[in-house]
Amino acid sequence: MANIAAKRIKREFKEVMKSEEVAGGAIKLELVNDSWTELKGQIAGPPDTPYEGGTFLLEIKVPETYPFNPPKIRFMTKIWHPNVSSVTGAICLDILKDQWAAALTLRTVLLSIQALLSAAEPNDPQDAVVAKQYRESPQLFNLTAKHWTNVYAGGPSSIFDFNQKVQLLIDMGIDEHQARVALSTYDWELERATEQLFS
Amino acid sequence: MAETSESQASASASAPGGDAGGEDDKRDERMLECNICLDTARDAVVSMCGHLFCWPCLHQWLETRPSRKVCPVCKAAISRDKVIPLYGRGNTKQEDPRNKVPPRPAGQRTEPENNSGFPGFGFGEGFHMSFGIGAFPFGVFTSTFNFGDSRPSAAPHGTAQYEEEQFLSKIFLWVAILFVLWLIFA
């Protein structure tokens, strides 16, 4: 790895550890290997959002050309958000692409991702299905996002109705996550979800 | 590698506790850190928007995105000519850091080589003429054999190559005329 990238990540790592966000529990950062090319980030779901109370893990890969090119970041924790793929965890955020600037750091990027959770951008979606629900039935979107946060990110609000529907499909022999995706996609209408799963 | 950094981290963590002056020194040092490598800026330059960089760092940033030259901190427009080098007192040779990192040499491209050698003069579509100097007997052959078909056909009308050929043949024509006049009057 190029010297400047490793050197900078080390500095950033130290700085993140000292930052007040880490002290406050909003973000966390840990090393995955000794080469400083791969890290694991963690952000807390922002208050007053369906993600509140959840902790979301992020995979961070630092390219050799860092900081001249952005780090590659994706959600490892499954999340229901218009700008994050519910399948791969890929994030649609301009600063991770063409709006990257060399003065941005892992700390500011993690905070930006956290901010993205409180301010979705449905007009520039990563997951079209989620974005459609976000625009057309915001109530349902909120509940779905809460449900996912509860199941995958340890969020506090368990939604009885949704859990029951998922359980129904599991009893039919369908994989739990697959069942949840189908139900979320079809606005929790059991019939349409079942139809799609068995077609 | 992780071990070294840990020991460094613990060393730096214990340092500020040791003496109270260390904290202030550190803040001063951080003021002079390059915004790209986060190290103390060497060959420092400052942008019009007031942000400090090492020139090598900023140069690489500008090279990485030649189409979108913005300040890495505030995204204001930035360019090589719009940064100011900073010369501290300790710096003995006050050389402009911008001259140290050499600008990348421009790409070079040459036209593909024409196999049939000297293209001669084109008048219209098929007629070609060449001339020789002096009484060298092969000159006759040159002009004779040039009526053969071994040369490439003239470029089609309107293309850049056609324009170029026309231009060249005009130049050679004038050179020939001047040469003949010089022969006559000299």
Short mmCIF file of all heavy atoms in Angstrom, two decimals, chain A residues 71-93:
data_model
loop_
_atom_site.label_atom_id
_atom_site.label_comp_id
_atom_site.label_asym_id
_atom_site.label_seq_id
_atom_site.Cartn_x
_atom_site.Cartn_y
_atom_site.Cartn_z
N PRO A 71 -12.73 6.15 0.02
CA PRO A 71 -12.77 4.77 0.51
C PRO A 71 -14.04 4.09 0.01
O PRO A 71 -15.03 4.77 -0.31
CB PRO A 71 -12.81 4.94 2.02
CG PRO A 71 -13.41 6.29 2.25
CD PRO A 71 -12.99 7.13 1.08
N LYS A 72 -14.00 2.77 -0.10
CA LYS A 72 -15.19 2.03 -0.54
C LYS A 72 -15.94 1.56 0.70
O LYS A 72 -15.39 0.80 1.49
CB LYS A 72 -14.78 0.85 -1.41
CG LYS A 72 -14.18 1.28 -2.74
CD LYS A 72 -13.82 0.09 -3.61
CE LYS A 72 -13.39 0.55 -4.99
NZ LYS A 72 -12.20 1.41 -4.97
N ILE A 73 -17.16 2.04 0.82
CA ILE A 73 -17.91 1.74 2.05
C ILE A 73 -19.26 1.14 1.69
O ILE A 73 -19.93 1.60 0.76
CB ILE A 73 -18.12 3.03 2.87
CG1 ILE A 73 -16.76 3.67 3.19
CG2 ILE A 73 -18.86 2.71 4.17
CD1 ILE A 73 -16.82 4.87 4.08
N ARG A 74 -19.64 0.09 2.43
CA ARG A 74 -20.99 -0.44 2.27
C ARG A 74 -21.52 -0.92 3.63
O ARG A 74 -20.75 -1.20 4.55
CB ARG A 74 -21.02 -1.58 1.26
CG ARG A 74 -20.31 -2.83 1.71
CD ARG A 74 -20.51 -4.00 0.75
NE ARG A 74 -20.08 -5.23 1.41
CZ ARG A 74 -20.92 -6.03 2.08
NH1 ARG A 74 -22.19 -5.76 2.15
NH2 ARG A 74 -20.45 -7.11 2.68
N PHE A 75 -22.84 -0.98 3.71
CA PHE A 75 -23.47 -1.45 4.94
C PHE A 75 -23.33 -2.96 5.04
O PHE A 75 -23.64 -3.68 4.08
CB PHE A 75 -24.96 -1.08 4.95
CG PHE A 75 -25.23 0.28 5.51
CD1 PHE A 75 -25.27 1.40 4.69
CD2 PHE A 75 -25.47 0.45 6.86
CE1 PHE A 75 -25.52 2.65 5.20
CE2 PHE A 75 -25.72 1.70 7.38
CZ PHE A 75 -25.75 2.81 6.56
N MET A 76 -22.85 -3.45 6.17
CA MET A 76 -22.84 -4.89 6.41
C MET A 76 -24.15 -5.29 7.10
O MET A 76 -24.64 -6.40 6.92
CB MET A 76 -21.65 -5.27 7.29
CG MET A 76 -20.37 -5.38 6.49
SD MET A 76 -18.92 -5.16 7.50
CE MET A 76 -18.91 -6.64 8.45
N THR A 77 -24.70 -4.38 7.88
CA THR A 77 -25.99 -4.61 8.52
C THR A 77 -27.08 -4.30 7.50
O THR A 77 -27.01 -3.28 6.82
CB THR A 77 -26.16 -3.67 9.73
OG1 THR A 77 -25.03 -3.81 10.58
CG2 THR A 77 -27.43 -3.97 10.48
N LYS A 78 -28.06 -5.19 7.38
CA LYS A 78 -29.13 -4.94 6.43
C LYS A 78 -29.97 -3.76 6.90
O LYS A 78 -30.25 -3.61 8.07
CB LYS A 78 -29.99 -6.20 6.30
CG LYS A 78 -29.18 -7.36 5.77
CD LYS A 78 -30.03 -8.31 4.97
CE LYS A 78 -29.19 -9.43 4.37
NZ LYS A 78 -28.02 -8.95 3.62
N ILE A 79 -30.33 -2.93 5.92
CA ILE A 79 -31.04 -1.70 6.27
C ILE A 79 -32.05 -1.36 5.17
O ILE A 79 -31.80 -1.62 4.00
CB ILE A 79 -30.03 -0.54 6.53
CG1 ILE A 79 -30.75 0.74 6.95
CG2 ILE A 79 -29.15 -0.29 5.30
CD1 ILE A 79 -29.79 1.84 7.42
N TRP A 80 -33.20 -0.81 5.58
CA TRP A 80 -34.26 -0.41 4.65
C TRP A 80 -34.20 1.10 4.49
O TRP A 80 -34.67 1.84 5.35
CB TRP A 80 -35.61 -0.86 5.21
CG TRP A 80 -36.76 -0.79 4.25
CD1 TRP A 80 -37.80 0.10 4.28
CD2 TRP A 80 -37.03 -1.66 3.16
NE1 TRP A 80 -38.68 -0.14 3.26
CE2 TRP A 80 -38.24 -1.22 2.55
CE3 TRP A 80 -36.36 -2.76 2.60
CZ2 TRP A 80 -38.79 -1.86 1.44
CZ3 TRP A 80 -36.93 -3.38 1.49
CH2 TRP A 80 -38.12 -2.93 0.92
N HIS A 81 -33.52 1.54 3.42
CA HIS A 81 -33.30 2.98 3.21
C HIS A 81 -33.22 3.24 1.71
O HIS A 81 -32.59 2.46 0.99
CB HIS A 81 -32.00 3.38 3.91
CG HIS A 81 -31.74 4.86 3.89
ND1 HIS A 81 -31.26 5.51 2.78
CD2 HIS A 81 -31.91 5.81 4.84
CE1 HIS A 81 -31.14 6.81 3.06
NE2 HIS A 81 -31.52 7.01 4.31
N PRO A 82 -33.83 4.33 1.23
CA PRO A 82 -33.86 4.58 -0.23
C PRO A 82 -32.47 4.66 -0.88
O PRO A 82 -32.32 4.34 -2.05
CB PRO A 82 -34.56 5.93 -0.35
CG PRO A 82 -35.31 6.10 0.92
CD PRO A 82 -34.58 5.35 1.98
N ASN A 83 -31.47 5.11 -0.12
CA ASN A 83 -30.16 5.30 -0.72
C ASN A 83 -29.16 4.19 -0.40
O ASN A 83 -27.97 4.33 -0.64
CB ASN A 83 -29.58 6.66 -0.30
CG ASN A 83 -30.52 7.79 -0.63
OD1 ASN A 83 -31.12 8.38 0.25
ND2 ASN A 83 -30.68 8.06 -1.91
N VAL A 84 -29.69 3.10 0.17
CA VAL A 84 -28.82 1.95 0.43
C VAL A 84 -29.49 0.72 -0.15
O VAL A 84 -30.70 0.52 0.02
CB VAL A 84 -28.61 1.74 1.96
CG1 VAL A 84 -27.66 0.59 2.20
CG2 VAL A 84 -28.10 3.02 2.61
N SER A 85 -28.70 -0.07 -0.87
CA SER A 85 -29.27 -1.27 -1.46
C SER A 85 -29.65 -2.26 -0.35
O SER A 85 -28.84 -2.57 0.52
CB SER A 85 -28.25 -1.92 -2.39
OG SER A 85 -28.64 -3.25 -2.67
N SER A 86 -30.90 -2.72 -0.39
CA SER A 86 -31.34 -3.67 0.63
C SER A 86 -30.72 -5.04 0.39
O SER A 86 -30.77 -5.93 1.23
CB SER A 86 -32.87 -3.77 0.64
OG SER A 86 -33.33 -4.18 -0.63
N VAL A 87 -30.12 -5.22 -0.79
CA VAL A 87 -29.51 -6.51 -1.13
C VAL A 87 -28.01 -6.51 -0.82
O VAL A 87 -27.52 -7.37 -0.09
CB VAL A 87 -29.72 -6.83 -2.64
CG1 VAL A 87 -29.14 -8.19 -2.97
CG2 VAL A 87 -31.19 -6.77 -2.99
N THR A 88 -27.28 -5.51 -1.35
CA THR A 88 -25.82 -5.53 -1.23
C THR A 88 -25.29 -4.60 -0.14
O THR A 88 -24.14 -4.73 0.27
CB THR A 88 -25.17 -5.10 -2.55
OG1 THR A 88 -25.58 -3.75 -2.82
CG2 THR A 88 -25.61 -5.99 -3.69
N GLY A 89 -26.10 -3.63 0.27
CA GLY A 89 -25.61 -2.66 1.24
C GLY A 89 -24.86 -1.50 0.61
O GLY A 89 -24.33 -0.64 1.31
N ALA A 90 -24.81 -1.47 -0.73
CA ALA A 90 -24.13 -0.38 -1.44
C ALA A 90 -24.79 0.95 -1.11
O ALA A 90 -26.01 1.03 -1.00
CB ALA A 90 -24.17 -0.62 -2.94
N ILE A 91 -23.97 1.98 -0.93
CA ILE A 91 -24.47 3.28 -0.52
C ILE A 91 -24.41 4.25 -1.69
O ILE A 91 -23.40 4.34 -2.38
CB ILE A 91 -23.64 3.85 0.64
CG1 ILE A 91 -23.57 2.84 1.79
CG2 ILE A 91 -24.21 5.17 1.12
CD1 ILE A 91 -22.56 3.21 2.86
N CYS A 92 -25.50 5.00 -1.90
CA CYS A 92 -25.49 6.04 -2.92
C CYS A 92 -25.30 7.38 -2.22
O CYS A 92 -26.23 7.94 -1.68
CB CYS A 92 -26.79 6.03 -3.70
SG CYS A 92 -26.86 7.30 -4.96
N LEU A 93 -24.06 7.82 -2.18
CA LEU A 93 -23.76 9.08 -1.50
C LEU A 93 -22.70 9.79 -2.34
O LEU A 93 -21.66 9.22 -2.65
CB LEU A 93 -23.25 8.79 -0.08
CG LEU A 93 -22.96 9.99 0.82
CD1 LEU A 93 -24.22 10.80 1.05
CD2 LEU A 93 -22.41 9.53 2.16
#
